[in-house]
């Protein structure tokens, strides 16, 4: 659902989506530097499955196609391969901008629903900020069971061979399900993240 | 006194019984031979990998990495931070570059770090284990310890993305890095010089959320290794290793292929070439057994 944050953003930026991106998206200030050469468009490993290449996304931002950009699934198809970044003649930090756009679309509640990488991303974030380190087993379990119990069991059975292989190879510990490893100073770790988000929200105008 | 001393950032897949625990074990064995001392950064935290951005935000991302730097500066002063995971290294280095370039960002970061009683001073530098091997020790030194050259074994060097782009290893090209091949030759193995999939992306974290698309990439990566007559793939990245190894059965099901290609770490090759046992090289950590390496590890050799 489009959120109050989205209403606030609409009121604040009117029709100036480029300015909105510049002020609110990680490395968004670079978008205007894109010269539409198209080199990045041919670089994405999942490119054939995307609706919009980075080149198109940047063009759409300048054309003010706000809804279309924020609802696009393209940013969520970025594998962080950095092919584009090393090839871009203008040296745009494309990967970071794509992730930043994804983050922003997610915050406003406009990102595509049930997008698997969006879900994975949220789950990963929650997983490792819980105690400071990623817990692989819980990560997988939450991901498999995101479509309900039945679907989770089916997925778990389908992945059984992989899991048993990892167990045999001592690369997985079932005990991680109960707690597992983490940092000692969980309190400080979480407080520092909260503080970082507070500062950023203030600077980006999310909070009053 | 050890030859070289580093503040070690193992990353969360490398811990005991994590998916890259075999990487950790073999790195420790390799470093023992090379007299390289790795001291874990006390209470290090996960870097957030490349896929946690939905919940994060720019500043939080940098703060998470800066916490590790601050801990290293405080507890292990004067030592470079060394990561074994390509993604950890990339994320940490990216943050470090941004923080060192912007006084404003650094001030915000330290304001947040204060909540954890820490401060980042901008001293510690961040490096990948491969950089330590090549730059601090050098191929000659690495070759000096070889007691069992990996003769007759053919390796497809799969560099992948994140140890290669956007930073890469100094002096190497993005499209055709050769350091991994050089490492293979240093320990007496044969490198597939024209392995055309060496820098192809395997899908990374999206192997989990977009399995079909990633497995199409993985298929190309493994197929080309077969086409070039490789006995196994070798890689410097734990996510590449896991993706390319554990999904081969799925790829076989999907495409009717018969892949069974071992995927190893450079550190496992080096451990075996340095006379280490299969256990020290953590070869029991392979899902697809690296039989040729096991055989060499089992032959008696001088130590
Ligand atoms: S490669 Fe760079 S300049 Fe060219 S279209 Fe992509 S972002 Fe724009
Ligand atoms: S990093 Fe993302 S945007 Fe860039 S080429 Fe790779 S998938 Fe495409
Ligand atoms: S890259 Fe992955 S393994 Fe490394 S610290 Fe980050 S989340 Fe953990
Ligand atoms: S090849 Fe795959 S796992 Fe390796 S760095 Fe690239 S995306 Fe990551």
């Amino acid at each position: 659902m489009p959120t109050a944050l989205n209403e606030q953003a609409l009121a604040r930026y009117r029709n100036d989506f480029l300015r909105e991106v510049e002020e609110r998206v990680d490395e968004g200030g670079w978008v205007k530097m894109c010269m539409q050469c198209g080199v990045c468009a041919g670089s994405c490993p999942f490119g054939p499955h995307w609706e919009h290449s980075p080149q198109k996304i940047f063009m759409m931002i300048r054309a003010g196609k706000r809804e279309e950009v924020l609802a696009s699934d393209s940013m969520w198809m970025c594998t962080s391969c950095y092919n584009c970044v090393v090839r871009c003649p203008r040296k745009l930090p494309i990967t970071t901008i794509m992730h930043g756009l994804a983050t922003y679309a997610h915050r406003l509640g406009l990102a595509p629903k049930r997008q698997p990488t969006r879900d994975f991303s949220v789950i990963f974030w929650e997983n490792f900020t819980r105690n400071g380190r990623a817990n692989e087993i819980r990560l997988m379990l939450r991901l498999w069971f995101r479509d309900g119990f039945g679907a989770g069991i089916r997925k778990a059975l389908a992945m059984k061979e992989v899991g048993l292989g990892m167990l045999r190879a001592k690369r997985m510990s079932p005990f991680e399900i109960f707690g597992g490893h983490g940092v000692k100073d969980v309190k400080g770790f979480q407080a520092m993240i909260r503080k970082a988000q507070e500062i950023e929200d203030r600077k980006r105008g999310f909070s009053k | 006194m050890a030859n070289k001393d580093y503040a070690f950032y193992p990353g969360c897949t490398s811990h005991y019984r994590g998916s890259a625990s075999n990487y950790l074990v073999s790195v420790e064995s390799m470093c023992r031979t090379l007299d390289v001392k790795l001291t874990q950064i006390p209470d290090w935290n996960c870097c957030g990998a490349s896929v946690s951005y939905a919940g994060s935000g720019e500043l939080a991302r940098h703060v998470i990495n800066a916490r590790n730097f601050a801990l290293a500066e405080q507890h292990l002063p004067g030592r470079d931070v060394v990561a074994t995971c390509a993604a950890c290294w990339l994320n940490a280095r990216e943050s470090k570059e941004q923080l060192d370039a912007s006084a404003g960002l650094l001030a915000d970061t330290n304001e947040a770090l204060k909540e954890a009683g820490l401060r980042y001073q901008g001293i510690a530098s961040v490096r990948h284990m491969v950089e330590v091997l090549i730059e601090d020790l050098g191929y000659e030194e690495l070759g000096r310890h070889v007691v069992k050259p990996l003769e007759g074994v053919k390796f497809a060097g799969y560099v992948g993305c994140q140890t290669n782009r956007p930073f890469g290893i100094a002096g190497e090209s993005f499209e055709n890095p050769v350091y991994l091949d050089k490492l293979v030759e240093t320990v007496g193995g044969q490198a597939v010089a024209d392995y055309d999939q060496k820098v192809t992306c395997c899908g990374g974290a999206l192997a989990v959320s977009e399995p079909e698309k990633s497995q199409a990439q993985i298929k190309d990566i493994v197929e080309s290794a077969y086409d070039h007559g490789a006995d196994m793939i070798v890689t410097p990245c734990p996510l590449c290793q896991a993706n390319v190894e554990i999904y081969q059965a799925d790829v076989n099901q999907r495409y009717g292929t018969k892949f069974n290609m071992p995927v190893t770490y450079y550190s496992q090759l080096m451990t075996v070439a340095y006379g280490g046992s299969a256990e020290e090289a953590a070869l029991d950590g392979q899902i697809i057994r690296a039989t040729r390496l096991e055989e060499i590890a089992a032959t008696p050799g001088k130590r």
Side-chain angles (χ1 to χ4, degrees):
Chain A
M1 18 92 230
T3 53
L5 264 184
N6 187 42
E7 304 289 320
Q8 184 237 37
L10 276 170
R12 187 182 176 118
Y13 293 102
R14 301 275 156 203
N15 297 320
D16 199 348
F17 186 42
L18 178 61
R19 195 164 66 88
E20 185 176 348
V21 168
E22 286 174 342
E23 288 182 12
R24 292 191 151 188
V25 171
D26 201 352
E27 303 284 2
W30 280 92
V31 170
K32 62 174 180 296
M33 292 302 290
C34 169
M35 59 185 206
Q36 290 294 308
C37 70
V39 169
C40 59
S43 302
C44 302
F46 293 176
H49 311 283
W50 294 25
E51 218 182 321
H52 312 110
S53 63
Q55 177 201 7
K56 264 199 211 143
I57 292 276
F58 300 157
M59 185 185 65
M60 286 154 64
I61 292 172
R62 286 155 80 166
K65 301 198 170 163
R66 186 176 188 272
E67 300 296 308
E68 242 180 288
V69 168
L70 295 175
S72 173
D73 72 347
S74 298
M75 293 89 81
W76 304 98
M77 293 276 186
C78 170
T79 62
S80 308
C81 74
Y82 291 85
N83 265 325
C84 53
V85 173
V86 299
R87 292 178 188 159
C88 173
R90 281 280 174 84
K91 301 266 169 286
L92 269 76
I94 303 172
T95 316
T96 311
I97 305 171
M98 294 299 272
H99 293 343
L101 284 167
T103 309
Y104 190 52
H106 173 73
R107 274 206 83 170
L108 296 188
L110 297 173
K113 287 194 185 54
R114 318 288 308 141
Q115 212 292 332
T117 304
R118 180 187 182 187
D119 289 359
F120 183 43
S121 180
V122 172
I123 291 172
F124 198 109
W125 173 257
E126 288 171 356
N127 178 293
F128 97 90
T129 49
R130 195 179 133 268
N131 65 2
R133 292 190 193 165
N135 182 311
E136 297 180 300
I137 275 216
R138 290 158 84 117
L139 198 58
M140 287 305 142
L141 287 177
R142 268 213 56 195
L143 194 72
W144 294 345
F145 285 87
R146 73 191 239 276
D147 292 318
F149 191 70
I153 295 290
R154 271 195 302 282
K155 182 75 192 162
L157 283 176
M159 294 298 287
K160 197 181 64 187
E161 281 310 312
V162 169
L164 285 176
M166 297 292 271
L167 268 182
R168 268 196 296 273
K170 298 202 233 43
R171 278 161 64 182
M172 193 164 95
S173 162
F175 299 111
E176 286 283 307
I177 297 176
F178 317 104
H181 68 155
V183 298
K184 278 188 230 96
D185 182 24
V186 178
K187 241 197 188 148
F189 178 76
Q190 289 177 341
M192 125 203 138
I193 291 178
R194 260 197 314 276
K195 186 71 176 178
Q197 295 188 322
E198 208 181 284
I199 297 171
E200 185 164 319
D201 280 2
R202 182 164 24 92
K203 296 215 158 160
R204 293 229 157 112
F206 283 117
S207 49
K208 280 144 267 153
Chain B
M1 243 281 293
N3 192 351
K4 299 265 191 267
D5 243 348
Y6 300 93
F8 184 37
Y9 179 42
C12 32
T13 53
S14 291
H15 73 100
Y16 177 67
R17 292 215 157 183
S19 65
S21 51
N22 50 342
Y23 192 12
L24 181 67
V25 170
S26 56
V27 162
E28 283 171 347
S29 303
M30 171 188 86
C31 285
R32 229 175 292 127
T33 303
L34 294 171
D35 202 15
V36 164
K37 191 169 164 220
L38 300 176
T39 311
Q40 283 205 13
I41 299 172
D43 212 36
W44 59 268
N45 58 261
C46 172
C47 73
S50 48
V51 75
S52 66
Y53 45 80
S56 174
E58 184 181 6
L59 188 57
R61 178 162 65 84
H62 296 313
V63 166
I64 283 166
N65 282 304
R67 180 177 179 275
N68 292 325
F69 306 154
L71 285 168
E73 285 175 348
Q74 184 184 332
H75 298 285
L76 304 164
R79 297 182 215 183
D80 288 351
V81 172
V82 172
T84 39
C85 166
C88 304
W89 173 64
L90 186 159
N91 288 318
R93 188 159 158 186
E94 213 247 309
S95 280
K96 160 121 186 121
E97 290 197 355
Q98 301 268 346
L99 288 170
D100 293 357
S102 160
L105 188 61
L106 182 63
D108 288 347
T109 299
N110 274 327
E111 193 187 332
L113 275 180
K114 220 162 94 196
E115 298 287 314
L118 293 166
R119 209 174 86 84
Y120 168 56
Q121 303 169 22
I123 306 169
S125 64
V126 183
R127 322 206 22 228
H128 190 274
M129 178 55 86
V130 165
E131 293 184 293
V132 168
L133 294 182
I134 297 173
E135 291 163 9
D136 297 4
L137 294 152
Y139 294 105
E140 206 187 310
E141 166 69 12
L142 299 178
R144 215 167 52 77
H145 301 270
V146 174
V147 292
K148 282 186 194 169
L150 309 181
E151 270 158 13
V153 190
K154 211 167 165 184
F155 297 92
Y158 177 48
V159 178
C161 315
Q162 302 198 341
T163 28
N164 186 38
R165 298 180 297 263
F167 302 116
I169 306 298
E172 296 280 350
S173 89
F174 296 127
E175 309 292 344
N176 190 23
V178 294
Y179 69 85
L180 197 51
D181 295 345
K182 281 207 248 170
L183 279 179
V184 165
E185 279 157 13
T186 301
V187 294
Q190 191 188 344
V192 175
D194 54 348
Y195 179 45
D196 52 329
Q197 301 290 329
K198 62 161 69 167
V199 296
T200 301
C201 174
C202 69
L206 275 66
V208 171
S209 50
E210 297 282 357
E212 275 159 52
K213 300 179 183 78
S214 300
Q215 284 173 26
Q217 302 289 115
I218 294 167
K219 175 176 169 280
D220 290 346
I221 292 161
V222 179
E223 199 159 57
S224 168
Y226 273 109
D227 289 348
H228 288 90
D231 294 301
M232 58 187 83
I233 290 173
V234 57
T235 177
C237 165
L239 191 56
C240 304
Q241 195 284 333
N243 280 348
V244 175
E245 184 189 38
I246 68 182
Y247 293 114
Q248 282 185 42
D250 280 33
V251 170
N252 287 343
Q253 241 180 31
R254 221 181 272 277
Y255 293 96
T257 45
K258 291 203 173 63
F259 293 164
N260 194 40
M261 173 70 69
V263 186
T264 52
Y265 292 111
Y266 62 89
S267 47
Q268 294 180 301
L269 272 52
M270 295 173 69
T271 299
V272 171
Y274 292 166
S277 65
E279 203 183 358
E280 287 167 310
L283 292 174
D284 55 347
Q286 307 306 109
I287 307 263
I288 300 172
R289 312 226 50 145
T291 331
R292 299 290 304 271
L293 278 189
E294 283 181 23
E295 283 162 12
I296 297 174
T299 58
K302 37 186 174 27
R303 259 283 214 175

